[in-house]
Amino acid sequence: MKKLFFPLLIVTFALSAAAHYMHWGAEIEFALSAVAIVFVAGFLGKATEAVAHYAGQRLGGFLNATFGNAAELIIAIFLIKEGLFDIVKASLTGAIIGNLLLVLGISALAGGLKFKEQRFNVHLAGQNASLMLLGVIALFIPAVFVKTESFPEADTLTLSVVVAGFLILAYVGWLIYSMFTHKDMLEDHVETQADHGEEPAWTRGRSILYLILATIMVAFVSEWLVHTLDVFTARFGLSELFVGAFVVAIIGNAAEHSAAVMLAMKNKMGAAVEIAVGSSLQIALFVAPVLVFISLLFEQHMNLIFTTIELAAIGVAVLIATSISRDGSTTWYEGKLLLIVYAILGVAFYFV
């Protein structure tokens, strides 16, 4: 199967591209893209693991989250240019709760079925919890004040820009703290034993090249797959909020974050947490605020005022994820709890 992986990767990607650009029909395009994304996800997972071997689990997880969110950032910029702010916010909400509940939940469940208990750096877990709460506070305060006091549009935008600036400042500070000043404190010594002397399949340079290539392929296939969703949403009568928060978010993020599940099954839960939680933090503290500033370059400007439903979903996801991961360990049952909360939110969003 290993020998057939790369030929199948190339063939499925090529067929998916042909279906999209030659307009073979939404149903065929959806089916081929869905198959292609499975192989592309596997490719990205292998590349991430190889890079993590050379760069360390934390930096490897950070690179995976960054490359994964880069594609979403680019797509969001085009949506902002068209003034589709509601879809952007819904997809950001979906990305945050999807990473905290779906990705982390599947990782904990899959890893927990193989290992009785998986541990990771407690200090890192605590810092992640504090940063997640900061994200909730930063999104909650503007929404409450604006909706309660009926701020003028200009004041709403000003408040959003100021809060966005503070969030970016907090995220940059976290990078300095975690990558430089307190790097040793956040290292996961348990995971260095999980490699068992395994050597990566590729050299350092080739691993980085493949990571970039896999990310680009994920971006393309995800976009082709999302492109077909209009047909299915119209056919099944799905709401724009549900499509943005769940369908688009799952398709856009599940592929690249399959690496988290693969790492968890190798007892590298710290790296899996870094990908899942780290990606959510990057969305809340960096991507969303950056989009506010980018929108200032266009005629229509986006604020940071999320709907009550979106705030409730993010708050619930952060609450349960924080409760489960703060002690620096996970089990299969805790993963199951995260997935149950995700399912409850999915059903609630479906009826909106």
Side-chain angles (χ1 to χ4, degrees), residues 198-221:
E198 295 178 8
E199 289 297 324
W202 310 306
T203 62
R204 183 195 302 266
R206 180 172 291 187
S207 299
I208 295 173
L209 176 63
Y210 282 173
L211 179 61
I212 296 172
L213 179 60
T215 304
I216 294 172
M217 293 175 74
V218 164
F220 274 107
V221 177

Side-chain angles (χ1 to χ4, degrees), residues 69-79:
N69 288 333
E72 184 165 313
L73 178 62
I74 294 170
I75 294 173
I77 291 173
F78 286 109
L79 291 173

Side-chain angles (χ1 to χ4, degrees), residues 77-299:
I77 291 173
F78 286 109
L79 291 173
I80 285 177
K81 188 177 180 181
E82 298 297 323
L84 302 173
F85 303 137
D86 291 340
I87 295 180
V88 172
K89 292 177 184 177
S91 65
L92 292 174
T93 300
I96 293 172
I97 65 177
N99 286 317
L100 290 179
L101 300 178
L102 181 63
V103 178
L104 186 59
I106 294 177
S107 298
L109 177 62
L113 290 174
K114 192 173 181 181
F115 304 96
K116 187 172 183 179
E117 183 183 47
Q118 294 185 290
R119 304 196 65 83
F120 50 95
N121 191 294
V122 177
H123 187 72
L124 175 62
Q127 293 298 323
N128 282 339
S130 298
L131 285 169
M132 285 190 288
L133 289 175
L134 170 63
V136 172
I137 292 170
L139 295 178
F140 180 77
I141 294 297
V144 170
F145 275 70
V146 168
K147 293 178 181 179
T148 303
E149 300 298 327
S150 300
F151 280 24
E153 188 174 336
D155 291 347
T156 300
L157 181 61
T158 301
L159 176 60
S160 297
V161 170
V162 171
V163 172
F166 280 124
L167 286 175
I168 293 174
L169 187 64
Y171 187 69
V172 172
W174 166 242
L175 292 181
I176 295 172
Y177 177 87
S178 61
M179 298 293 182
F180 299 101
T181 63
H182 290 69
K183 180 181 178 181
D184 294 338
M185 188 184 296
L186 299 175
E187 283 185 355
D188 205 325
H189 300 291
V190 174
E191 296 197 348
T192 58
Q193 303 170 4
D195 287 312
H196 302 296
E198 295 178 8
E199 289 297 324
W202 310 306
T203 62
R204 183 195 302 266
R206 180 172 291 187
S207 299
I208 295 173
L209 176 63
Y210 282 173
L211 179 61
I212 296 172
L213 179 60
T215 304
I216 294 172
M217 293 175 74
V218 164
F220 274 107
V221 177
S222 298
E223 185 179 358
W224 298 336
L225 199 55
V226 169
H227 178 73
T228 66
L229 291 177
D230 289 341
V231 176
F232 293 94
T233 53
R235 183 172 299 172
F236 294 103
L238 301 175
S239 69
E240 192 175 80
L241 182 62
F242 177 79
V243 172
F246 281 82
V247 182
V248 174
I250 289 174
I251 292 172
N253 293 285
E256 60 263 29
H257 297 323
S258 63
V261 180
M262 293 172 62
L263 289 166
M265 293 182 70
K266 293 189 176 184
N267 204 23
K268 300 177 182 179
M269 195 61 200
V273 169
E274 185 62 32
I275 292 173
V277 178
S279 185
S280 290
L281 290 175
Q282 196 172 75
I283 290 287
L285 304 183
F286 183 75
V287 174
V290 164
L291 289 173
V292 172
F293 284 103
I294 290 176
S295 73
L296 299 178
L297 302 175
F298 303 112
E299 292 183 6

